Structures are given as C-alpha cells and as structure tokens.
Amino acid sequence: MPRGRPTSASKTTTSIPPKRALSASLDSGTLTPPARQSKRLKSSPLAASTTKTTPKKSQYFTDSTPSEPESEIEAEASGYEDEDASVSAVLSPPESEDEEDEDDHVSSEEENRKLKRKAKKGQSAKKAVTNGKSVVEDVVVAATAKAIIQKGQELWRPGVKSDLAPGEEVFIKLPKARGDGGVKYKEGIIHPNTMLFLGDLKANNDREWLKMHDADYRQSKKDFDSFVEKMTDRMTEIDETIPELPPKDLTFRIYRDIRFSSDPTPYKTHFSVAWSRTGRKGPYAGYYLQIKPSGSFIGGGLWCPEAAPLAAMRRDIDRKSHKLKSVLLEPAMRKEFLGGISKDEKKAVQAFVGQNKENALKTKPKGYDAENPNISLLRLRNYTAGRKLSDEEVLGPKGPQRIAALMAALKPFITYLNSVVMPDEPGEESETDSDGSNSEEEAA
C-alpha cells in the first residue's frame, strides 16, 4: 500500500490535476475560472444559477418589439469579452438545426414585411388621391412653377431647390427638337430654326443648357452642314483652286478655347466655315463665312499669317504695290467690301487699311523707311476684306445666291494673295518690274 495520507472510504472521488479540473469544470457547465471572474459577475445572481438553464424561446413565439432587460445587472456587460461569450454560451445553449432554420425564415419574413410597409408609405406619400384621381402631378407643377419660369432655376439644373415634400419626385423629359414652323428643311438653304437656336445659345451659354437642348443643336448643325455641302459645289465653280472637301474639313467647332480668355462662356454663338486650297486650315488665303442672328459676316484673305508669308506680302507691296491697288479698285470689290467708294486709289487704300488696323504696327516695319509711300500698307499684319450680312441675305432660297455673288467678288483678291505667299510657279514671285530690283536695294 503506497505511502500517503489515508483516504476515507465514504469519499469515492479521485483527485484531478489542476488543469484537468479546470477543463472538467468548464465541460460540466460552470463559468470561467474564479481567478478570471470579475467582481460584478461574482456578486451577480446569474453566477449562482448557471448550472440550471432554461432553453431560449424561438423568435417565432416572441413579440416583434424587443423586451427590456429584467434587471440592471443583466443589461450591463462583464468587462471581459471572453467572459461575455462564456456567459452567453451557458445561458443560451445551441438550438437544434430545425429551430435555427425557423429563426432564419422568421427573420426574413419580418424583413419582407418591413420593406412592404416602407413601400406602402412611400406610395401613399407620393400619390394623393382625390375622388379616385391622382393629383400628384398637379401639386408638383403648382409648387415648382416659379422655379421653372425663372432663368437659371430650371429643375433639371443640379442643386436647384424644388420645394418637394418627402417622397415626391419629378420626372423631366428631354426637350425635343423645335418644330419646323411650317417651313420645310431643304438642302443648301439655312432654315430659320438654325438662327433661333443660335439666339437661344447666346442667351443660355452654358453646358447644362446645351446638354438639355442637344436635339436642337444637332438639328441646326445638320442644317448648316447641308448648306456648306451645297455651297462647296458653288465655290469650286467660282474658284477652281478650291477642292471638294466634306463639311467636317471646312466647318469650325462650336467650342471656345477659354484657357487664356477672360470670357468664361464655353461655346461660340455662331456657325462658321472656311474654304481654301487645304480646307479651313493651311497657309493659303481663303474665303470665310459665319452665320449668327443679326451678326453674320463674310470675308476672305490672310488673317495673322506667319513670318514668312507676312514678309513676302510686304516685299511685294514695296516693289509692286500697283498689283494690290488694282485689285482694290475692282468695281465689285469697291461696291461690296469697301463701302461703295468711288474709283479713287487713295480712298481704296484708306478703306482697306481701316479694316485691318486692329493689330497693325504703330511704327515702320523693320527694314523699311518711314517715308515709304506705301507705309500704311506695310504696317499691316492682316490682309483681309469683309462685310456684315443681314439675316435676309442669309436665310431663304436667295441666301445661297447672295453669298455666292459676294464670294465671286472676293475671288481676284484671294487669287492675288495666294500668288504672293504660295505661288504656283517658282518664278512667279521673282518676276519684277523694271525698277523692282532697284526699289528692293533702296529699301535695304
């Protein structure tokens, strides 16, 4: 018999190591070890009756409203996460799989009921029924009439207050293109609606407005492109150097470059097109047309040429100024673009200089004498001629005919400019008068 303290026959339990005793006590349904229990848990009546628990009732038999805790002790936590988990595990033993499925089913049904209640509340707030008829649209229109009328307070603009009650909504349809007003659209003729659109764009020059009136813009742009296409056929007959190009290579974009401009408006308020030997861009002199309500313009020439073409123009004017002056004295040129002046060389030069004095030099250009008889022409940086057009000259069946006649009057002027800056034959520019070389030497 081993040595040790004698055991009593009435005691049948055996001694258990401390670690195993702790795990056994946890398996038998006790709480966490006494060393880890907080004082509040020890003094709690829950700690004394943890071995005998009652199964948790299913949510199917409980009320939808949560019940309040029976005592303040049950409502507060123990202070330790592991103790809270152990207490909840003891107080609510795991339910069977069938009970868990029922709980999930019940919770999903409750969620569906809540969603249906919210939907019914939203529908009831959205529709006000009187005598069996819905009047929500009339209420919305009456409440927001002022916002629709005031400029800049349209409901489709972001950030505009509509004074709608909760649950009310306004659905705005995109505006359709303006009707033709009884005047059919025809190819090659500018429709009055195109002018109306440009006038509206001037009054509402912002991106939100153009986005809402995109249908009007596309209809007007299509009308202008059809006019350009037909006018190109006329231009090739007037000037054989003009090629047949599609409108996309001739028309200018409506978007403005506002990077270095003090004007923040994003769009031009006119449609414009240019014809030259290379379309709307290139080193050649060309014809220009823009349409705008009470502001249409037609013209042609060299606008802000580069250094080499500008030097060629000054050299030719200094050596053979009679070529430019003879073009300015043409009857159609004087009548349409120089104010109808008489056949006087000084008046023709003065009228031409007056149209191009915007960025002219204030002193003599480098290499030329201030006493040069053609100093007013030598100071110029632009060599253009143009005039305004009334709406009656642009619209209607007679509009294309009038524009073609003005382009024909510009043809000798454009031909002269191209013969100087971009001569067809290499020796064309080098041809001089008897005193040409001497005048160049004197200027040098």
Side-chain angles (χ1 to χ4, degrees):
M1 186 172 178
R3 295 180 181 180
R5 184 179 297 175
T7 59
S8 173
S10 61
K11 294 182 180 181
T12 59
T13 58
T14 60
S15 62
I16 302 174
K19 292 184 179 180
R20 293 185 180 180
L22 178 60
S23 60
S25 64
L26 292 175
D27 294 339
S28 61
T30 60
L31 293 172
T32 54
R36 296 184 62 187
Q37 291 182 354
S38 65
K39 295 181 180 180
R40 289 182 295 176
L41 189 60
K42 290 179 180 181
S43 61
S44 168
L46 286 171
S49 61
T50 54
T51 56
K52 185 177 181 181
T53 60
T54 303
K56 183 179 178 182
K57 290 185 179 180
S58 173
Q59 296 181 2
Y60 187 81
F61 300 97
T62 60
D63 297 334
S64 59
T65 58
S67 59
E68 299 180 357
E70 296 179 359
S71 62
E72 295 180 359
I73 300 176
E74 294 178 357
E76 59 185 16
S78 63
Y80 296 93
E81 293 181 359
D82 53 351
E83 291 180 359
D84 292 339
S86 61
V87 171
S88 61
V90 174
L91 293 179
S92 58
E95 300 173 352
S96 63
E97 294 182 359
D98 296 339
E99 290 179 348
E100 292 180 356
D101 294 340
E102 289 180 358
D103 293 343
D104 295 339
H105 179 67
V106 171
S107 61
S108 62
E109 286 184 353
E110 289 181 355
E111 292 178 358
N112 292 336
R113 291 196 202 98
K114 291 180 180 179
L115 292 175
K116 289 180 180 179
R117 288 195 216 101
K118 291 181 180 180
K120 289 181 181 179
K121 289 181 180 179
Q123 292 177 359
S124 61
K126 185 178 179 181
K127 289 188 177 181
V129 179
T130 303
N131 296 329
K133 294 182 179 180
S134 177
V135 296
V136 63
E137 295 181 355
D138 297 337
V139 173
V140 170
V141 172
T144 59
K146 295 182 179 180
I148 295 174
I149 294 174
Q150 294 179 358
K151 180 181 176 181
Q153 296 295 325
E154 295 87 349
L155 292 180
W156 46 264
R157 292 186 183 273
V160 175
K161 296 181 180 180
S162 58
D163 298 332
L164 297 178
E168 292 181 348
E169 297 177 349
V170 176
F171 296 90
I172 303 174
K173 295 182 179 180
L174 290 175
K176 296 181 179 180
R178 185 186 283 110
D180 57 12
V183 180
K184 300 296 182 181
Y185 283 87
K186 295 182 180 179
E187 293 184 356
I189 299 177
I190 297 176
H191 196 275
N193 281 351
T194 302
M195 287 292 194
L196 293 177
F197 166 76
L198 293 173
D200 293 341
L201 180 60
K202 182 179 180 180
N204 305 275
N205 198 338
D206 60 77
R207 291 181 175 85
E208 289 80 7
W209 184 90
L210 187 61
K211 185 177 181 180
M212 288 296 298
H213 297 80
D214 183 68
D216 281 332
Y217 165 68
R218 294 185 181 278
Q219 180 175 264
S220 301
K221 186 65 169 64
K222 181 180 179 181
D223 179 58
F224 182 70
D225 287 346
S226 69
F227 164 79
V228 171
E229 187 174 0
K230 293 297 182 181
M231 184 56 63
T232 303
D233 297 337
R234 292 174 179 262
M235 292 300 301
T236 56
E237 297 175 0
I238 295 171
D239 191 342
E240 62 276 3
T241 63
I242 300 299
E244 293 185 4
L245 296 175
K248 66 182 183 64
D249 295 330
L250 303 173
T251 57
F252 293 88
R253 300 179 65 192
I254 199 173
Y255 307 98
R256 294 183 64 251
D257 186 2
I258 60 175
R259 291 176 298 176
F260 308 105
S261 175
S262 59
D263 184 6
T265 53
Y267 305 111
K268 303 173 186 176
T269 56
H270 61 265
F271 288 141
S272 54
V273 58
W275 292 275
S276 73
R277 298 187 185 185
T278 55
R280 69 175 182 271
K281 297 180 180 180
Y284 292 94
Y287 307 84
Y288 177 79
L289 172 68
Q290 78 174 30
I291 62 169
K292 178 182 179 180
S294 303
S296 299
F297 179 85
I298 188 172
L302 284 173
W303 177 261
C304 296
E306 296 182 358
L310 182 59
M313 282 296 305
R314 287 173 175 168
R315 184 169 59 250
D316 188 80
I317 291 172
D318 181 56
R319 295 164 57 185
K320 298 171 285 188
S321 62
H322 66 278
K323 294 171 62 177
L324 174 59
K325 294 176 182 178
S326 64
V327 171
L328 298 178
L329 290 175
E330 289 286 336
M333 187 71 175
R334 288 187 289 108
K335 178 183 177 182
E336 301 294 351
F337 295 97
L338 297 181
I341 61 174
S342 60
K343 191 176 181 180
D344 187 287
E345 187 176 286
K346 291 183 178 180
K347 291 183 179 179
V349 171
Q350 185 179 1
F352 181 75
V353 171
Q355 292 188 18
N356 296 275
K357 66 180 180 179
E358 180 181 358
N359 59 348
L361 296 176
K362 295 182 179 180
T363 61
K364 64 182 182 66
K366 185 178 181 180
Y368 296 93
D369 189 7
E371 302 298 329
N372 192 303
N374 301 308
I375 190 63
S376 60
L377 292 174
L378 295 173
R379 289 173 179 170
L380 300 179
R381 291 180 177 176
N382 300 328
Y383 294 90
T384 62
R387 56 159 293 175
K388 293 182 178 181
L389 293 175
S390 63
D391 293 349
E392 291 75 14
E393 292 179 292
V394 175
L395 300 176
K398 296 183 179 180
Q401 299 176 6
R402 175 60 176 163
I403 293 173
L406 294 174
M407 293 295 187
L410 285 171
K411 199 258 184 179
F413 177 62
I414 302 300
T415 302
Y416 160 72
L417 295 177
N418 284 328
S419 67
V420 175
V421 299
M422 298 292 291
D424 294 332
E425 298 179 4
E428 183 177 344
E429 185 185 2
S430 62
E431 294 180 359
T432 59
D433 296 342
S434 58
D435 59 345
S437 59
N438 296 331
S439 62
E440 184 176 5
E441 291 176 359
E442 292 175 0

